[in-house]
């Protein structure tokens, strides 16, 4: 049994052990990522699981970081948008979003990139219906989703071609 | 505030025995909303999503039952192999929140919250599910229908953990339907589950969001059973219409910020009729 302390507890984020110091133990993972670890990629809008802009992977599962108790995630592997690809070298999904014009204001983009990586991991050649269903937890106020779906399809096609 | 992360059932029960006022946290999709919003405070939290005993499930073909650990997620339930054992529950699971929510949300959390709008609950009611509760003192099993005593009120005592939900694996048709203000990510304004057990010749109808608890409809069930042909999957249209009427009479909806009582009463009859038609497609 682990009992994280408010003086310091350790999270595993993007392959590194990160110490969280002097925190209130009721903080969400989203809050800790942004305000305590300086990882500003995950966005917060609703803080109630509705918008998906805070999506991260915890032990490989796509979840809303605003609904994860940070101190409860000790010992779990957390991947955020910052861990998807090194700075300056975008992942194929990130590049496809740029190429397809799937980014406007960009607020929803980190969450959608995480959701797309997770989707293509499980289902390399999703149908359009499946893409819509799997991205239904990510709200975008700008694009109307058409180009986002196109970006996902471009990655699926490119990955198939690369095999 | 203290946070405890046990990794075995024994440790989890010990943590709860030492902190009887502790709040149990599973997927966090109900609780974290309340904590983030400042609507609920917790002096100590016991996180149970890393307790292996709670995260497993078992199909027993001899007793024809499925035992779902409380920590089994709706993402697991909506897919095979669980989905084909309890297709009605899988159908309800698919309507819960979004993929992100279903990856975290557990069946135990849905039962723990026990909102009349909880999507899994009408199916559990229609299947006569048993809720297993465990504490340092021992284990007890309670029928779901008596476990839920009111809106978000249950029989769970302090220091008790929901350990599992057990449902029968039924021959025949089962399904769930709900209405809300839109299709994705919506809380039900009315919902219904139907289980037609062709081996035992029974029909169960349970309603969500139209009363303080999940409601069963004994009159509508009896009327359907009396006239149903389970082998031919046949039910006359006038029997279905009368069942819809009996379902509306059994509902006890209220007006609130989501909908009106009148709409809910109408809608729940439509849903029950639709499900009965699917269970018995021949007239
Ligand atoms: C955006 C969003 C959309 C949603 N959509 C839906 C929907 O469409 N349909 C629906 O039904 N629900 C919905 N919900 C509610 C929620 O996802 C479900 O009720 C879910 O099943 C809760 O499970 P959890 O594991 O996340 O529970 P938690 O939040 O971890 O816990 C919920 C409650 O149960 C208690 N609890 C949890 N596990 C146990 C246990 N093993 N023993 C004792 N007590 C326990 C907790 O103390 C708490 O009071 C939604 C939530 C969000 C944020
Ligand atoms: S901020 Fe987490 S889902 Fe909106
Ligand atoms: S690009 Fe602005 S919200 Fe999606």
């Amino acid at each position: 049994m682990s009992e994280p302390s408010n003086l310091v507890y350790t999270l595993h984020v993007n392959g590194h052990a990160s110490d969280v110091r002097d925190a209130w133990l009721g903080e969400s993972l989203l809050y800790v990522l942004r305000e305590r670890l300086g990882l500003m990629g995950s966005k917060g809008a609703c803080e109630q699981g509705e918008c998906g802009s805070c999506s991260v992977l915890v032990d490989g599962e796509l979840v809303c970081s605003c609904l994860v108790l940070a101190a409860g995630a000790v010992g779990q592997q957390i991947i955020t948008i910052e861990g998807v690809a090194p700075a300056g070298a975008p992942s194929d999904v990130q590049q496809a979003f740029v190429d397809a014009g799937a980014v406007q204001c960009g607020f929803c983009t980190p969450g959608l990139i995480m959701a797309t990586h997770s989707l293509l991991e499980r289902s390399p050649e999703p149908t359009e219906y499946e893409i819509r269903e799997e991205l239904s937890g990510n709200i975008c106020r700008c694009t109307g989703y058409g180009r986002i779906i196109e970006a996902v399809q471009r990655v699926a096609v490119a990955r198939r071609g690369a095999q | 505030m203290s946070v405890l992360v046990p990794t075995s059932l024994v440790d989890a029960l010990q943590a709860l025995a030492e902190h009887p006022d502790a709040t149990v946290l599973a997927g966090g999709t109900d609780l974290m909303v309340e904590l983030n919003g400042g609507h609920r405070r917790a002096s100590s939290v016991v996180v149970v999503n890393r307790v292996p005993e709670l995260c497993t499930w078992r199909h027993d073909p001899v007793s024809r039952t499925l035992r779902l650990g409380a920590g089994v997620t709706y993402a697991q339930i909506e897919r095979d192999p669980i989905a084909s054992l309890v297709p009605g529950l899988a159908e309800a699971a698919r309507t819960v929140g979004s993929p992100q929510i279903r990856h975290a949300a557990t069946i135990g959390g849905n039962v723990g919250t026990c909102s009349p709008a909880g999507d899994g609950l009408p199916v559990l009611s229609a299947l006569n599910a048993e809720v297993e509760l465990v504490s340092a003192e021992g284990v007890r099993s309670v029928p779901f229908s008596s476990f839920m005593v009111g809106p978000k009120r249950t029989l769970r005592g302090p220091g008790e953990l929901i350990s599992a939900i057990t449902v029968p694996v039924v021959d025949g048709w089962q399904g769930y339907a709900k209405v809300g203000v839109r299709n994705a990510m919506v809380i039900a304004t009315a919902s219904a589950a139907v289980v037609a057990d062709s081996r035992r010749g029974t029909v169960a109808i349970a309603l969500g969001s139209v009363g303080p608890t999940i409601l069963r409809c004994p009159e509508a069930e009896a009327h359907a059973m009396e006239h149903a042909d389970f082998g031919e999957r046949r039910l006359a249209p006038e029997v279905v219409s009368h069942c819809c009427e009996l379902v509306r009479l059994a509902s006890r909806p209220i007006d609130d910020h989501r909908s009106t009582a009148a709409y809910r009463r109408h809608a729940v009859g439509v849903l029950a009729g639709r499900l009965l038609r699917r269970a018995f497609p021949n007239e």
Side-chain angles (χ1 to χ4, degrees):
Chain A
M1 177 146 56
S2 47
E3 183 168 0
S5 147
N6 62 331
L7 296 177
V8 59
Y9 66 87
T10 305
L11 292 180
H12 288 89
V13 185
N14 300 329
H16 306 288
S18 303
D19 287 344
V20 182
R21 292 178 195 282
D22 299 318
W24 175 55
L25 291 178
E27 288 164 1
S28 73
L29 179 59
L30 173 65
Y31 183 89
V32 167
L33 290 171
R34 290 180 58 87
E35 306 298 330
R36 303 208 179 270
L37 301 179
L39 295 169
M40 298 295 184
S42 308
K43 305 299 177 200
C46 67
E47 305 203 6
Q48 49 181 15
E50 302 264 353
C51 73
S53 56
C54 65
S55 299
V56 300
L57 299 175
V58 175
D59 281 348
E61 297 277 12
L62 184 76
V63 296
C64 299
S65 60
C66 67
L67 299 182
V68 174
L69 184 72
V74 289
Q76 292 185 296
Q77 294 299 329
I78 299 156
I79 306 287
T80 71
I81 186 69
E82 289 88 349
V84 158
S91 73
D92 56 351
V93 174
Q94 288 171 315
Q95 191 59 51
F97 268 62
V98 174
D99 294 344
V103 181
Q104 288 188 27
C105 81
F107 191 87
C108 67
T109 310
L112 275 158
I113 301 283
M114 297 308 291
T116 303
H117 273 289
S118 162
L119 161 64
L120 293 174
E121 204 58 41
R122 272 173 296 126
S123 176
E125 292 181 42
T127 61
E128 183 184 334
Y129 176 80
E130 205 179 332
I131 298 171
R132 286 184 182 276
E133 190 63 34
E134 289 293 315
L135 301 186
S136 66
N138 295 78
I139 291 175
C140 174
R141 290 283 87 138
C142 303
T143 64
Y145 302 102
R147 289 170 182 222
I148 291 172
I149 289 157
E150 194 191 316
V152 179
Q153 287 166 332
R154 283 191 190 197
V155 181
V157 169
R159 286 189 186 177
R160 189 173 56 215
Q163 272 171 8
Chain B
M1 179 170 171
S2 71
V3 173
L4 293 162
V5 191
T7 47
S8 73
L9 187 57
V10 172
D11 282 356
L13 293 179
Q14 193 189 331
L16 279 179
E18 283 164 16
H19 306 266
D21 62 333
T23 305
V24 175
L25 178 79
T29 60
D30 278 319
L31 192 61
M32 286 301 290
V33 173
E34 294 188 3
L35 283 183
N36 289 345
H39 305 301
R40 185 145 150 188
R41 302 203 178 283
S43 56
S44 55
V45 173
V46 176
V47 181
V48 296
N49 66 2
R50 242 83 56 71
V51 175
E53 292 93 328
L54 297 181
C55 300
T56 53
W57 58 276
R58 197 176 62 240
H59 172 215
D60 182 345
V62 178
S63 66
R64 305 170 63 84
T65 55
L66 173 68
R67 183 181 190 276
L68 294 167
V72 171
T73 63
Y74 275 128
Q76 289 174 278
I77 293 172
E78 72 177 314
R79 297 191 197 121
D80 273 337
I82 296 181
S84 29
L85 295 168
V86 272
L89 193 59
E91 204 170 3
R94 278 193 283 277
T95 76
V96 172
S98 64
Q100 283 91 329
I101 298 300
R102 297 195 290 274
H103 286 144
T106 63
I107 181 95
N110 213 204
V111 169
T113 296
C114 244
S115 156
D119 283 313
L121 309 185
V123 185
L124 296 184
S125 167
L127 286 170
N128 299 315
E130 292 275 328
V131 180
E132 184 186 283
L133 297 157
V134 58
S135 70
E137 266 90 76
V139 188
R140 63 178 177 139
S141 194
V142 184
F144 173 77
S145 53
S146 30
F147 177 77
M148 182 175 190
V149 295
K152 301 196 177 177
R153 287 179 31 237
T154 74
L155 284 185
R156 185 174 84 88
E160 269 186 323
L161 206 58
I162 301 166
S163 41
I165 317 292
T166 300
V167 293
V169 175
V170 171
D171 283 337
W173 190 91
Q174 53 179 273
Y176 174 76
K178 81 186 199 190
V179 280
V181 288
R182 58 188 187 136
N183 272 336
M185 188 88 90
V186 78
I187 293 182
T189 47
S191 65
V194 166
V195 175
D197 185 332
S198 54
R199 220 159 62 110
R200 292 169 53 220
T202 57
V203 176
I205 306 173
L207 315 178
S209 288
V210 291
T213 62
I214 304 303
L215 304 174
R216 286 284 293 264
C217 312
E219 284 84 9
E221 291 175 0
H223 189 68
M225 277 187 269
E226 194 185 328
H227 296 91
D229 179 336
F230 286 88
E232 300 285 322
R233 297 182 67 194
R234 197 182 297 281
L235 197 60
E238 58 277 11
V239 177
V240 173
S241 328
H242 189 55
C243 286
C244 295
E245 222 24 69
L246 293 170
V247 161
R248 291 192 176 105
L249 289 172
S251 71
R252 290 157 55 200
I254 54 166
D255 289 329
D256 67 9
H257 61 288
R258 282 208 190 93
S259 190
T260 62
Y263 176 76
R264 286 188 159 112
R265 174 163 291 141
H266 172 76
V268 81
V270 172
L271 291 177
R274 210 172 273 169
L275 291 170
L276 284 170
R277 265 283 69 86
R278 289 180 196 160
F280 300 97
N282 304 313
E283 297 191 339

